[in-house]
Amino acid sequence: DTAVSQTPKYLVTQMGNDKSIKCEQNLGHDTMYWYKQDSKKFLKIMFSYNNKELIINETVPNRFSPKSPDKAHLNLHINSLELGDSAVYFCASSQVAPITDTQYFGPGTRLTVL
Amino acid sequence: DQQVKQNSPSLSVQEGRISILNCDYTNSMFDYFLWYKKYPAEGPTFLISISSIKDKNEDGRFTVFLNKSAKHLSLHIVPSQPGDSAVYFCAASQASGYALNFGKGTSLLVTP
């Protein structure tokens, strides 16, 4: 009955490879997000999708491409991985409300680029 | 540029006492504030929130206070329990559907 799930939990790969991280939420939320937590433990937004449409795209290299096949899924594909991409990536979801919305996070995917 | 700041990287409190975690923000457009708790190797877990129309919100042992004029919020945990030991993140957003801006977190240790 996991609310927001991510696969894989750990990902170790070589520089230059292409990899994907999957995210699914079963909360019925209409908005999903990707955050990156870097080595300094700072959590920062990367993307946000509402009903499969991109609404936030922070200054993220275009090697990162989110894909939302339906509103319950938001996958992150990364091309030509670099050492600096090593981080923990968190998926989150929320239901946009008139005033507030609380974001619920997945367990994270620890990506290590060698 | 970091818009949400948690200036205390760590805090140690004795079991049964009050824990007070502080957070400051710079963007006056923020109108929704949240606290998340995070254990190692897990995602942040929502704890409590407050909108800018309020100055206090209470949920059990957790109370969040908001001082808009000072752009400051705090989380009070009373009484503190060893299971509260975790990293606490303060977050803020401008409006519904906007991304959360996180502080760097405060690591709380509650000792028996």
Side-chain angles (χ1 to χ4, degrees):
Chain A
D1 60 347
T2 306
V4 183
S5 59
Q6 295 178 230
T7 53
K9 192 163 174 63
Y10 300 96
L11 185 53
V12 181
T13 188
Q14 299 285 335
M15 253 184 4
N17 283 350
D18 303 338
K19 289 292 177 187
S20 293
I21 306 172
K22 294 186 177 182
C23 177
E24 177 181 1
Q25 55 95 3
N26 61 7
L27 297 165
H29 288 166
D30 58 10
T31 305
M32 295 184 72
Y33 311 80
W34 276 107
Y35 288 83
K36 178 180 179 180
Q37 186 179 35
D38 60 24
S39 56
K40 295 180 182 175
K41 308 298 182 189
F42 191 33
L43 262 164
K44 199 165 181 184
I45 184 70
M46 297 174 70
F47 300 102
S48 168
Y49 268 71
N50 178 263
N51 279 319
K52 304 194 298 173
E53 287 192 25
L54 181 67
I55 56 172
I56 294 174
N57 182 352
E58 291 296 306
T59 50
V60 176
N62 57 15
R63 299 181 294 104
F64 289 78
S65 52
K67 295 262 189 321
S68 182
D70 55 61
K71 72 175 195 178
H73 295 83
L74 181 62
N75 304 322
L76 184 64
H77 188 76
I78 316 169
N79 288 328
S80 303
L81 277 156
E82 299 177 358
L83 292 176
D85 298 332
S86 295
V88 182
Y89 292 85
F90 289 100
C91 176
S93 74
S94 69
Q95 184 63 36
V96 175
I99 299 173
T100 61
D101 61 307
T102 297
Q103 295 181 23
Y104 295 89
F105 285 78
T109 296
R110 181 174 291 277
L111 171 66
T112 303
V113 182
L114 303 174
Chain B
D1 184 29
Q2 209 178 332
Q3 300 181 72
V4 178
K5 296 177 184 178
Q6 293 176 256
N7 292 320
S8 299
S10 63
L11 175 67
S12 184
V13 170
Q14 213 167 10
E15 181 178 6
R17 303 257 178 160
I18 184 170
S19 296
I20 300 176
L21 296 98
N22 292 304
C23 178
D24 297 293
Y25 62 96
T26 57
N27 189 340
S28 56
M29 298 294 289
F30 287 150
D31 64 359
Y32 185 47
F33 305 88
L34 309 90
W35 284 94
Y36 284 84
K37 176 179 176 179
K38 186 180 181 305
Y39 294 115
E42 292 184 14
T45 302
F46 170 71
L47 199 56
I48 192 169
S49 64
I50 188 167
S51 74
S52 58
I53 60 174
K54 294 186 174 183
D55 54 19
K56 177 183 173 182
N57 188 25
E58 194 172 347
D59 183 2
R61 297 186 297 115
F62 303 91
T63 303
V64 56
F65 295 91
L66 175 63
N67 182 335
K68 282 196 304 180
S69 60
K71 294 192 180 72
H72 177 85
L73 64 154
S74 61
L75 174 68
H76 292 211
I77 308 173
V78 56
S80 301
Q81 298 173 355
D84 296 330
S85 297
V87 177
Y88 289 78
F89 287 95
C90 171
S93 73
Q94 282 183 237
S96 190
Y98 273 64
L100 292 176
N101 293 268
F102 281 88
K104 287 194 174 183
T106 297
S107 179
L108 173 66
L109 177 64
V110 180
T111 56

